[in-house]
Structure formats: structure tokens, C-alpha cells
Amino acid sequence: MEDGLVPEIVKLTRQVTELTFGTAGAVMAFVGLGQASCHHRHDLLWAEIDYFLQVRQVHIETLNNMREDLLDLYEMDGRRLDTRMIVATLLLAIGFGFVVEGTFPAPDPGVSSSKRGLYEAQHNARIVYSITAAFALLCPFWSMLSIMECRRRLDFFMDAFSDKFYFMLKKRFRSFECETRSTRIMHHSNLVTYTKGLPKDPNPNLARLYHFEREDGCSSQQRQQQPQHRGLFGCCARRHHMTRSETLEGQLQTLPSIGKQTPGDFDIILQLHSHYVTWWYDWCRFFMKVSSICTWLAMVFNVLCCSILLGMYYQFHYPDTPKMWQAYSSILLSGLAAALTCTGFAHGKGPRLPGGKLDAKKKHCAPVPGGIPPWMEKAPDATLTLGSPLLEV
């Protein structure tokens, strides 16, 4: 009898052992499943935080791109103004040299002098010389004043933009600071709600993870009419946050009102480009044209002054060789006429855009009432906003 009980005891012990290990394995499997679920939820939270930070970085880079694009335009126009200023300064130095250090027409030799006739013959030439010498000094001076005024108006635009841009960044960073106080506030921020429709077409097997209705027990037609939530809010683990959204209203009301934000909205950059070009055409282009005209006139008057002055000098001091002053003056005057003719021909036959336009920036020009961009007329503490076709506050 004892021999028959031993196998039964061994068998029972084996079954108890297998049951114990099986139960322990099942418990460990459930523990592992819970741990994996916890880690997965933790990874989802950090993935959402990482996405929020990436979208925030896109906004900051958008603002920086807007500023860099404007600075590139400003620096390019600034270099052109500096080049024109250098040319005008050199022409002013040449005209000033004629007044202070140059050779002057011969004085009256007296009634008894043999050169009295030459002196009287140069009467009209001396009047023309005085006029050309005066304009040779005034034209580069006017050109410099026009360039300085053009630069002042460009600086006015940049100062106004820098002030608005500072407040804009300040408002952005404040809103980001408020939105990152907790994950629940982050879920209801504009940066995250923008992705509420992602993924747009989920896999049917995963639709229940990204797609749910607020009310159950409704017909299919009623469900289609109800608002649906996808993406970061569609997960079942996030469903209870939607039911508690009323408790977050007080916290969300403390967030700065920054309007609708869409990542990658670069239209504002093009609008700012248009505002800058419009500002240039409305407030700076006239002075640039005046500067160009005065620069050309300064060069012409300087050449005329040289031709008339040295022509009279050669005629008065070398009366025995009249070909000397005639050759000098004729060469200078003919060269000046040929240069002006060739320049006008080159300007008329030079490269042009379709429609006969010479300036490529003009196509970006958009008329603005009063010539002042809307964002510049706002209060000093107003800020620029993204996501709108214009710079608004």
C-alpha cells in the first residue's frame, strides 16, 4: 500500500509545483504587461513633449528666418547706399579741389598788356566756368544729402521692426513658458491642438486608438455628425482628459492670447518682404533717384569745369599755339558727349524683365494706405503674430 502511495504523492507534488510555477509565470506576465504599458504610456508622454518642443522650434526658426530675410534686404540696400556715398564723397572732394586748390582763370593783365584782348574774349567763358564750378560742388553735396535721408528712412523702418520683433519674441517665450507648466496644459495648447487631425487616415486596425466619439449608443448617422478627435487626443488613455477639460479652463485662460498658430507658416516672411519693398518705393526710391541724377550731373560738371578752365588757361598763357587749347577742349567735350550717348544707349538696350520693367523688386510691392505698414501704426507694446496674411497685433 505504501508502494502505491509514493507515485501518487510524487504526481501530486509535481502537479502542485507546475501549478505554482504556472501561477507565478502568469503573475509575472501580467506584471510585465503592466510594466510595458506603463513604459509605453511614459514614452507617449515624452514623445508628445518632444513634438511640442519641435513645433516650438519651428516657430522660433520661422521668426528668425523672417528677421534674417529682412536683414539681408537691408544689408544689400545698405551696401549700395555706402557705394554711392563713397562716389559722392570723391566727387565732392574733386569739386572742392577746384574751389580751393585748383587753377583759376587769369586775372586782368591791365589795359596796356598785349593779352588784354584774350582776357576780354574769355569774359563769357569765365561766367560759364563759375557756373560749372558751383554745380560741380553742389551736385555731389545734394547726392550725399539724398543718400543720408534714404539711409535715415531705412533705419526708421528697421528700428520699428526691431521694436516689434522684441515684443513678439517676448510674447512667444512667455506663452511657451506657460504652456510647458504641465502636460495637460500642453495638450490644450495651440501648438498641440494643431495636430488634432493627425494621423489623417489611420490604419483600420488602429482606428480605435486614434478615433472615438464622445457619446456611445448613437446611430452611425449621429456619430458622423458628432465632432471627432484624433491624433494626440485620440488615444484611449487621453479620453479622460477631454472630460476634464472644464477644469483646465481657468488655467488656459491665463495663457497669453497668441491666436491660431500653424507650424511652418512662412507666409508672414513674404508679407514682411512686401512691406519692406513697399516702404522702399514709397519713402526711399525718390531720394535714390535724386542721388543718381546728382551723381551723374556732378561728373558732367567736373569734366566741363576741367575743359573750360584749362582751355582758358592754355589760351591765355600759350597764345602762340591756339591748337593746344582747342585740341584739349574738343577732345574732352567730344569724349563727354560720346560717353553720355553710349550710356543712354546701354541703358535703353540693357537687360529688362518681361513688360519692360527694370527693377525685379517692384513685383513684390503692394500698395499700403498712407505708405505705413499696419503693424507699424499699432501701439508701442503691440506685438506681431504668426499665421495671418499680414503683420497684426
Side-chain angles (χ1 to χ4, degrees):
M1 182 176 180
E2 293 179 357
D3 295 337
L5 290 176
V6 173
E8 294 294 336
I9 294 174
V10 172
K11 183 178 180 181
L12 181 61
T13 303
R14 182 182 300 174
Q15 291 178 352
V16 171
T17 303
E18 292 178 356
L19 181 61
T20 302
F21 281 104
T23 304
V27 172
M28 294 300 296
F30 279 108
V31 172
L33 181 61
Q35 183 181 13
S37 177
C38 181
H39 288 172
H40 178 67
R41 183 175 181 276
H42 186 266
D43 292 339
L44 285 178
L45 291 176
W46 279 107
E48 293 176 2
I49 295 175
D50 181 66
Y51 174 78
F52 174 82
L53 296 178
Q54 291 180 8
V55 175
R56 184 180 68 175
Q57 184 64 27
V58 169
H59 277 260
I60 298 300
E61 291 179 356
T62 301
L63 299 181
N64 290 331
N65 289 336
M66 177 177 61
R67 180 179 60 180
E68 291 177 1
D69 178 73
L70 185 62
L71 289 178
D72 290 340
L73 293 175
Y74 175 74
E75 291 178 359
M76 182 177 62
D77 292 333
R79 294 191 191 100
R80 292 193 298 177
L81 292 175
D82 292 339
T83 302
R84 292 175 180 267
M85 179 64 74
I86 293 174
V87 174
T89 303
L90 293 176
L91 292 174
L92 181 64
I94 295 173
F96 189 76
F98 280 120
V99 176
V100 178
E101 301 174 355
T103 302
F104 301 101
D108 188 359
V111 179
S112 60
S113 176
S114 59
K115 296 182 179 180
R116 179 66 181 180
L118 291 176
Y119 178 78
E120 293 178 353
Q122 293 179 351
H123 175 75
N124 294 330
R126 286 193 295 270
I127 296 176
V128 176
Y129 159 74
S130 62
I131 295 175
T132 55
F135 279 106
L137 188 63
L138 282 179
C139 287
F141 178 69
W142 290 340
S143 178
M144 293 177 63
L145 291 181
S146 299
I147 294 173
M148 293 173 63
E149 179 61 21
C150 185
R151 168 72 80 170
R152 186 189 70 83
R153 297 191 176 193
L154 284 180
D155 292 340
F156 180 86
F157 182 91
M158 292 303 300
D159 291 341
F161 169 75
S162 299
D163 180 67
K164 298 293 183 181
F165 188 80
Y166 166 75
F167 285 104
M168 178 172 56
L169 283 182
K170 185 177 180 180
K171 187 176 183 179
R172 290 289 180 222
F173 286 124
R174 283 182 176 178
S175 64
F176 293 150
E177 181 182 1
C178 295
E179 290 174 351
T180 54
R181 288 183 300 180
S182 66
T183 56
R184 289 190 298 173
I185 297 179
M186 187 185 301
H187 291 160
H188 290 268
S189 64
N190 286 333
L191 294 179
V192 176
T193 55
Y194 173 73
T195 62
K196 189 166 54 177
L198 297 177
K200 186 175 182 181
D201 296 318
N203 189 296
N205 296 328
L206 301 178
R208 62 185 182 85
L209 297 178
Y210 297 96
H211 187 193
F212 68 91
E213 288 84 12
R214 288 190 176 182
E215 298 181 5
D216 297 330
C218 300
S219 62
S220 59
Q221 183 178 2
Q222 292 176 346
R223 291 180 179 179
Q224 292 178 359
Q225 296 176 356
Q226 292 178 359
Q228 299 175 355
H229 303 274
R230 297 181 177 181
L232 299 177
F233 293 93
C235 182
C236 295
R238 306 290 185 266
R239 187 179 302 182
H240 65 282
H241 291 302
M242 299 299 298
T243 59
R244 296 190 302 173
S245 60
E246 293 80 4
T247 61
L248 297 176
E249 291 182 357
Q251 293 177 322
L252 294 176
Q253 290 177 357
T254 61
L255 295 177
S257 177
I258 56 179
K260 187 66 176 177
Q261 301 176 1
T262 56
D265 185 7
F266 294 100
D267 292 338
I268 189 66
I269 301 176
L270 300 179
Q271 292 296 328
L272 185 61
H273 185 105
S274 176
H275 288 169
Y276 178 85
V277 174
T278 303
W279 179 272
W280 171 266
Y281 275 90
D282 290 344
W283 299 101
C284 303
R285 189 186 181 191
F286 172 77
F287 292 97
M288 183 63 74
K289 287 185 175 181
V290 172
S291 174
S292 299
I293 294 174
C294 290
T295 300
W296 277 101
L297 291 177
M299 291 187 292
V300 171
F301 282 121
N302 276 315
V303 175
L304 287 176
C305 187
C306 292
S307 175
I308 297 173
L309 177 61
L310 290 183
M312 290 190 299
Y313 180 84
Y314 292 151
Q315 183 185 24
F316 188 84
H317 290 281
Y318 304 97
D320 55 338
T321 54
K323 297 294 183 181
M324 184 177 181
W325 71 269
Q326 293 176 2
Y328 175 80
S329 297
S330 61
I331 290 175
L332 277 182
L333 293 177
S334 60
L336 177 61
L340 294 178
T341 303
C342 293
T343 301
F345 180 80
H347 182 76
K349 297 296 183 179
R352 294 177 181 271
L353 296 175
K357 297 181 180 179
L358 295 176
D359 196 347
K361 294 194 304 182
K362 194 171 184 179
K363 62 183 178 181
H364 301 290
C365 183
V368 178
I372 303 295
W375 53 268
M376 194 178 292
E377 297 179 345
K378 302 298 181 179
D381 58 344
T383 57
L384 304 175
T385 58
L386 285 175
S388 58
L390 295 175
L391 287 170
E392 300 175 352
V393 292

